[in-house]
Amino acid sequence: MGFLAPFLRKLLKSYTGRIMALFPFGLFAVLSYLFFLLPDETAHLVDTGLKLLPEISLSFRFDGLSLIFGLMVSGIGGLVLGYSSFYMAHYSGRSKFYFFLVLFMGSMLGLVFADNLIAFFIFWELTSITSFFLIGFEHENEKTRQAALQALLLTAFGGLCLLFAVIMIGNMAGTYSLTNIYQQGFRFGAHSNYYLVFVLIFVAVATKSAQFPFHFWLPGAMHAPTPVSAYLHSATMVNAGIFLLLRLNPIMGGTIIWKTIFVITGGITMFIGAFYSMGQKDLKRILAFTTISALGTMVLLIGMNSTASIQAALIFFIVHGLYKGGLFMMTGIIDKNTGTRDIARLAGLLKKMPVTSIAAILSLLSMSGIPPMLGFIGKELIYDAKIQMPELSWLVIPLGVASNMIMVAISLLIFYEIFLQPKGKQTVALKQPEKTLPGNFLAGPVTLALVGLTLGLFPGWLENIMSNALYFIQGEIVDVHLSLWHGFNKVLILSIFTVAMGIVIFLFRKPIGSLVQVIIRWTDQYYLPERFNQLIKNYLHLAGRQTNRIQHGYHRYYLITFFTITFALVMYQLATLKGDWIPIYETSPIKWHVVMVLTFSMLAVLFAVFTRSRISAIIALGVLGYGISILYMFYGAVDLAITQFLVETVIMVIFVMVIYHLPLFATLSSTKTRIRDGLIAIGVGVMVAFLLLKARFINLEPPISDYFAQNSLLKGHGRNIVNVILVDFRALDTLGEITVLALAAAGVFTLLRLDINRKDKH
Amino acid sequence: MEFIIAIFIGLLYACGVYLLLRRSIVKLILGVLILSNATNLIIFLSGGIQRNEISFIPEGSEVANPEVILDPLPQALILTAIVIGLGIAAYILALKYKYFEKTGTHDLDQLSKTDQK
């Protein structure tokens, strides 16, 4: 789909977003159809028959859990696409934007519905990569690039952990298919690998879902265009980690470490997020920190691992997706229409932008958990779940109540500062009246707010799918009853207390706000994004230094390394070989005339090495070549002798022709290095000699040579076997050889004709 | 005899390696040439030199006697290698010539950048 976006955009011009939005809506409709059809304890498995790899089939799993997530992803996705068609109207590179947005949507849906764990991982990584491009959309801005890179590095690191974990789970379970794993009732809480897998999964979840201490990439990701933030931080990207936890809950949930780690991490994240949000002035940053807080809440609930808490987590996911998506879009609208997102500068919008404001206020109500919104039900369930866990309630209830109080206060603050007209604040001028804004721009927040309201009034609609989801998460049949009014009980008292305290915080917002500012300033010394960048920078620096040391660029040191290591390895191997140290084998008789020739050549080579005269060196080299040629001759290799003789002559001629233009030899290295090189060289020489002696000149009576000897005349019609091999049996090799020569000739020719400085002359 | 040739090859290798480790490019080229000669000799030696009749099929006979003739296959390989060695030598020398003309140095350590003037 995403690949079509650029073409579609050319075709549809400014309507792209709206038309494209039809696809997720269509998907949404199909999914809703499934949603109502789905019986209580079944999951539909759709096997596309495609295989990503032999073991990895691309099959999709439709159950309560994936449907809840899928509906949110496609529904909000459609709204966001429609929304961006106006928001992005004046950005350049819109094709790219739609391309990545739709691609991201597709991978998110794939992630949610994937049945195969490896496929799940692939989609997980795809969301990381596409979100990198989305966050970094305004890449001209350096901060944006940094934020995007940070998000990518962290989530990709988590992705790697996930891959390891997934492979280990797959190995232990014997299958990568979630459906099969569920059917086997596979659990490995007692397995010795459990802790390793747990840590890997924890890192994956914490990086993706911005849990403490990896939470810091999320506020940075606010550099993305607002539609992207609305999408990524409401129902998709960051919730992938939550989804993973829910998916794995039946396999590895419920252990002590699961409960402690996730409850503690979730709790800390929840509180930090809420706390930091109070000190922010930018609407988007406020929302970012409340998102962190909400993610913490979900992780905490899943960590508690009771049926009630999982139920609460699911409901809260829906609640959060609805209100956060709405609020982000609202921010975008306000930003577009007034030119600022600073709550200190915005005021009196209720009168000027009534539709947006009412939608936003409904979302804010949901966020602070006030009836009749779905948020209220969500919060009630959360409190209920926490109360039901006596061994943890001492910790989680105060943390939860504190965070919720802050949520209430934040909601009130946004409401008061932006929509009402506090004294002494200037109203901001609108760029265009709300009425003239296109419908699809406003549709997003309004729809989401209305859905939140409707579901709050009729929560029964969710019961069916919830119990299906819970069946697959907890492995037991649960009757889910959702209602607004639970009667007057502890939970309600807590809620009332929360709201009251929230109002108190709001009233004392000035002193509390400045206190928070002080604390934030203090903690900014440990500003994690900066620290992270520093870490990466140091790492790169280290890598650079290491590379410089190993890849120093001096070819002779490479050679020295190469030679000494080869020497050591070969000598070690030779020493451990059995047999005589100086091997004795049947030698052919010594031919004294050859020995004389060799001695002469040896002296010539040594002379060539040490002489200072270029011409002498070349002549000495020629002596060596002719000596070898004579050796060939005496041993019956006539063709070799002739060729060697000719080639040696040609090389000498070329050398002499070139040598005139070459410098004199100069002593470039010190005596010390010369001795060192000499030792290495002698070592290599000794090694080669030993190797040859040890090899015993094994002539394995090669049948190939015999074949040539037998058939040279019969099949090749030649009496000189060597020649027949070259031009007949191995003719293709010879053709290659001729090609090499031709290329060398062409190379030499061009080199000599080439005038590098020609450009300078003009 | 193999013993002596092996020592000879060892010596050629020692000289070749020593020249390879020099900073002067001309010496490096000499080293390469010596090494290629030495390697050819290794192939030659590994074919065995006990039987050293010319590998021809004598007149009047249809097949050669493999008990007598020098193994023809290594010879064919070396022949190819020698010729290619010629190509390499010619090319390196031309390259070296041009290089020296442009840079005026033959010290490898001066050759750190590709875009030297």
Side-chain angles (χ1 to χ4, degrees):
Chain A
M1 256 298 287
F3 293 103
L4 290 176
F7 307 108
L8 278 179
R9 215 190 87 65
K10 285 223 175 82
L11 214 69
L12 302 171
K13 303 261 157 53
S14 62
Y15 295 101
T16 325
R18 270 170 275 177
I19 305 288
M20 301 269 283
L22 292 178
F23 291 99
F25 281 138
L27 206 61
F28 182 80
V30 175
L31 293 178
S32 333
Y33 176 68
L34 275 173
F35 173 100
F36 286 110
L37 270 190
L38 202 65
D40 271 357
E41 286 97 33
T42 46
H44 287 280
L45 192 65
V46 179
D47 196 341
T48 55
L50 292 174
K51 289 199 184 296
L52 298 173
L53 285 173
E55 296 262 318
I56 301 161
S57 57
L58 189 65
S59 51
F60 297 109
R61 180 188 163 82
F62 296 91
D63 59 9
L65 176 60
S66 57
L67 274 179
I68 291 179
F69 275 76
L71 282 172
M72 294 295 284
V73 171
S74 57
I76 297 187
L79 290 175
V80 164
L81 272 176
Y83 176 83
S84 17
S85 77
F86 181 78
Y87 186 90
M88 304 297 290
H90 301 292
Y91 282 75
S92 58
R94 271 164 295 166
S95 312
K96 203 177 70 181
F97 175 79
Y98 288 122
F99 172 77
F100 285 118
L101 192 63
V102 175
L103 211 59
F104 174 78
M105 197 176 293
S107 19
M108 196 64 209
L109 283 171
L111 182 149
V112 164
F113 288 113
D115 180 54
N116 190 296
L117 282 172
I118 299 285
F120 178 87
F121 160 76
I122 292 172
F123 285 123
W124 175 288
E125 285 295 66
L126 272 177
T127 60
S128 296
I129 293 165
T130 44
S131 65
F132 164 73
F133 287 108
L134 287 174
I135 294 171
F137 183 69
E138 291 164 60
H139 53 81
E140 294 85 1
N141 187 341
E142 195 200 337
K143 277 196 167 167
T144 310
R145 287 203 305 271
Q146 259 182 17
L149 186 64
Q150 209 165 63
L152 178 72
L153 284 176
L154 272 174
T155 50
F157 174 65
L160 278 182
C161 292
L162 177 71
L163 178 62
F164 284 125
V166 156
I167 290 174
M168 289 180 79
I169 293 175
N171 271 339
M172 282 185 281
T175 170
Y176 286 107
S177 160
L178 274 171
T179 309
N180 290 348
I181 292 177
Y182 287 164
Q183 273 166 6
Q184 289 170 18
F186 172 74
R187 292 184 76 90
F188 66 107
H191 199 282
S192 57
N193 283 343
Y194 179 80
Y195 290 100
L196 181 56
V197 176
F198 178 84
V199 170
L200 292 171
I201 291 289
F202 172 77
V203 174
V205 168
T207 47
K208 195 82 166 178
S209 289
Q211 295 299 299
F212 179 83
F214 299 109
H215 61 277
F216 53 83
W217 70 264
L218 202 149
M222 288 302 132
H223 290 288
T226 306
V228 173
S229 310
Y231 197 37
L232 256 58
H233 303 307
S234 63
T236 54
M237 177 79 175
V238 291
N239 289 299
I242 309 292
F243 181 77
L244 174 66
L245 281 187
L246 290 170
R247 267 286 185 240
L248 294 180
N249 191 47
I251 309 175
M252 52 190 298
T255 54
I256 293 183
I257 180 171
W258 177 282
K259 285 187 181 175
T260 27
I261 296 291
F262 282 125
V263 167
I264 291 175
T265 317
I268 294 176
T269 314
M270 175 173 78
F271 186 72
I272 287 190
F275 187 78
Y276 269 66
S277 67
M278 280 201 298
Q280 306 300 324
K281 287 271 172 274
D282 181 346
L283 257 180
K284 260 180 113 175
R285 281 186 78 83
I286 297 181
L287 291 177
F289 281 108
T290 57
T291 305
I292 293 178
S293 175
L295 291 168
T297 313
M298 284 187 256
V299 169
L300 171 94
L301 288 169
I302 296 168
M304 284 163 61
N305 196 50
S306 68
T307 308
S309 71
I310 302 275
Q311 188 187 345
L314 278 175
I315 290 286
F316 188 67
F317 164 71
I318 302 174
V319 171
H320 174 249
L322 292 175
Y323 79 70
K324 194 53 63 70
L327 285 177
F328 267 119
M329 291 194 216
M330 177 263 314
T331 309
I333 295 175
I334 293 176
D335 189 13
K336 263 274 131 106
N337 216 5
T338 62
T340 180
R341 302 193 303 245
D342 190 342
I343 52 171
R345 290 176 54 200
L346 291 164
L349 290 182
L350 186 58
K351 271 185 207 149
K352 294 200 166 172
M353 301 171 75
V355 182
T356 319
S357 305
I358 287 171
I361 289 165
L362 283 176
S363 293
L364 286 175
L365 283 178
S366 200
M367 174 157 122
S368 40
I370 289 170
M373 302 300 291
L374 187 61
F376 175 70
I377 300 178
K379 194 192 55 182
E380 296 285 286
L381 284 172
I382 293 172
Y383 281 164
D384 193 33
K386 286 176 180 169
I387 288 175
Q388 280 178 24
M389 298 283 282
E391 72 270 24
L392 287 172
S393 53
W394 60 269
L395 173 72
V396 293
I397 288 184
L399 270 178
V401 170
S403 311
N404 274 330
M405 286 181 332
I406 299 176
M407 291 293 164
V408 173
I410 288 283
S411 307
L412 271 172
L413 185 75
I414 295 177
F415 171 69
Y416 175 78
E417 293 278 349
I418 296 182
F419 298 117
L420 296 184
Q421 181 93 43
K423 273 176 201 162
K425 264 182 115 175
Q426 298 269 316
T427 38
V428 281
L430 292 189
K431 288 185 182 152
Q432 59 187 107
E434 194 184 35
K435 276 177 207 160
T436 59
L437 290 175
N440 53 333
F441 195 41
L442 297 175
V446 174
T447 318
L448 289 179
L450 287 181
V451 171
L453 178 65
T454 324
L455 287 179
L457 292 175
F458 306 102
W461 292 356
L462 289 172
E463 285 170 4
N464 193 22
I465 199 167
M466 287 291 297
S467 54
N468 183 305
L470 281 173
Y471 173 72
F472 284 109
I473 296 169
Q474 283 297 80
E476 54 188 89
I477 299 169
V478 186
D479 270 335
V480 181
H481 291 294
L482 301 171
S483 57
L484 262 183
W485 178 249
H486 286 276
F488 197 75
N489 52 18
K490 271 198 233 169
V491 176
L492 194 64
I493 295 173
L494 264 181
S495 289
I496 294 171
F497 172 71
T498 310
V499 174
M501 285 306 289
I503 295 172
V504 172
I505 294 181
F506 170 69
L507 291 178
F508 290 98
R509 62 187 178 279
K510 290 241 167 74
I512 291 178
S514 46
L515 182 70
V516 171
Q517 288 282 359
V518 170
I519 295 176
I520 287 177
R521 222 169 289 136
W522 180 73
T523 51
D524 268 358
Q525 298 167 17
Y526 310 100
Y527 190 50
L528 284 170
E530 284 293 321
R531 286 287 153 113
F532 183 77
N533 283 342
Q534 199 58 42
L535 190 76
I536 296 291
K537 219 182 266 171
N538 288 343
Y539 176 73
L540 287 180
H541 185 65
L542 184 74
R545 263 177 44 192
Q546 200 179 348
T547 314
N548 271 341
R549 175 158 293 188
I550 300 173
Q551 304 292 333
H552 36 64
Y554 289 105
H555 101 285
R556 60 179 183 282
Y557 294 125
Y558 292 124
L559 284 177
I560 287 175
T561 321
F562 169 73
F563 284 132
T564 40
I565 289 176
T566 318
F567 176 74
L569 289 178
V570 171
M571 282 321 245
Y572 172 75
Q573 200 61 36
L574 281 179
T576 50
L577 267 183
K578 282 180 189 146
D580 305 316
W581 183 228
I582 303 285
I584 299 154
Y585 44 86
E586 47 163 337
T587 47
S588 48
I590 294 176
K591 297 185 174 182
W592 288 106
H593 46 292
V594 180
V595 175
M596 259 173 61
V597 171
L598 290 186
T599 321
F600 201 59
S601 307
M602 271 190 211
L603 291 174
V605 173
L606 287 174
F607 179 71
V609 170
F610 293 110
T611 183
R612 299 289 294 276
S613 152
R614 301 165 302 173
I615 289 285
S616 318
I618 293 164
I619 293 175
L621 203 68
V623 171
L624 167 72
Y626 293 139
I628 292 175
S629 164
I630 294 171
L631 175 93
Y632 289 146
M633 181 91 98
F634 280 128
Y635 279 94
V638 226
D639 304 285
L640 288 190
I642 298 168
T643 321
Q644 173 83 15
F645 194 85
L646 290 175
V647 162
E648 206 59 48
T649 312
V650 173
I651 289 181
M652 275 177 69
V653 170
I654 302 176
F655 233 130
V656 170
M657 270 160 53
V658 175
I659 207 81
Y660 182 69
H661 303 278
L662 292 186
L664 294 171
F665 287 158
T667 314
L668 289 171
S669 13
S670 64
T671 323
K672 226 174 167 182
T673 50
R674 293 166 82 87
I675 291 174
R676 181 200 62 194
D677 295 347
L679 286 177
I680 292 171
I682 291 169
V684 174
V686 171
M687 175 189 86
V688 171
F690 264 108
L691 210 57
L692 280 173
L693 292 174
K694 276 279 182 185
R696 287 165 186 262
F697 318 115
I698 312 158
N699 199 347
L700 293 170
E701 289 308 323
I704 292 185
S705 294
D706 282 353
Y707 171 83
F708 291 144
Q710 303 298 334
N711 292 307
S712 172
L713 185 64
L714 297 178
K715 293 193 173 162
H717 303 289
R719 292 191 180 274
N720 184 339
I721 305 175
V722 178
N723 281 4
V724 174
I725 291 178
L726 284 174
V727 298
D728 193 319
F729 292 123
R730 311 290 314 154
L732 216 57
D733 291 356
T734 311
L735 185 69
E737 175 196 340
I738 294 170
T739 318
V740 171
L741 271 191
L743 283 176
V748 171
F749 181 73
T750 30
L751 267 177
L752 295 182
R753 290 286 302 270
L754 175 76
D755 196 344
I756 298 176
N757 289 340
R758 194 163 35 197
K759 257 187 207 162
D760 305 339
K761 281 174 192 164
H762 288 298
Chain B
M1 194 64 212
E2 284 90 341
F3 190 79
I4 295 169
I5 298 182
I7 289 173
F8 179 63
I9 295 174
L11 182 94
L12 287 189
Y13 257 86
C15 294
V17 167
Y18 181 77
L19 289 175
L20 273 192
L21 295 178
R22 304 272 54 82
R23 269 163 70 177
S24 157
I25 297 182
V26 184
K27 289 198 170 177
L28 189 119
I29 297 173
L30 287 177
V32 172
L33 293 179
I34 292 180
L35 279 183
S36 75
N37 268 326
T39 311
N40 288 343
L41 272 182
I42 290 184
I43 303 176
F44 185 67
L45 203 51
S46 66
I49 54 169
Q50 283 100 336
R51 300 160 299 148
N52 50 25
E53 290 292 312
I54 300 174
S55 44
F56 279 5
I57 296 170
E59 289 290 336
S61 162
E62 290 217 318
V63 293
N65 180 6
E67 298 296 320
V68 185
I69 59 159
L70 188 67
D71 194 339
L73 190 61
Q75 294 186 56
L77 295 178
I78 297 167
L79 205 67
T80 313
I82 293 175
V83 176
I84 292 199
L86 167 69
I88 294 175
Y91 188 74
I92 307 183
L93 283 172
L95 196 62
K96 165 66 198 156
Y97 164 72
K98 206 70 194 174
Y99 164 72
F100 181 67
E101 195 183 85
K102 287 299 153 205
T103 63
T105 179
H106 63 126
D107 184 354
L108 279 172
D109 285 10
Q110 309 273 322
L111 178 67
S112 56
K113 284 180 198 136
T114 48
D115 50 354
Q116 246 175 14
K117 288 235 164 144

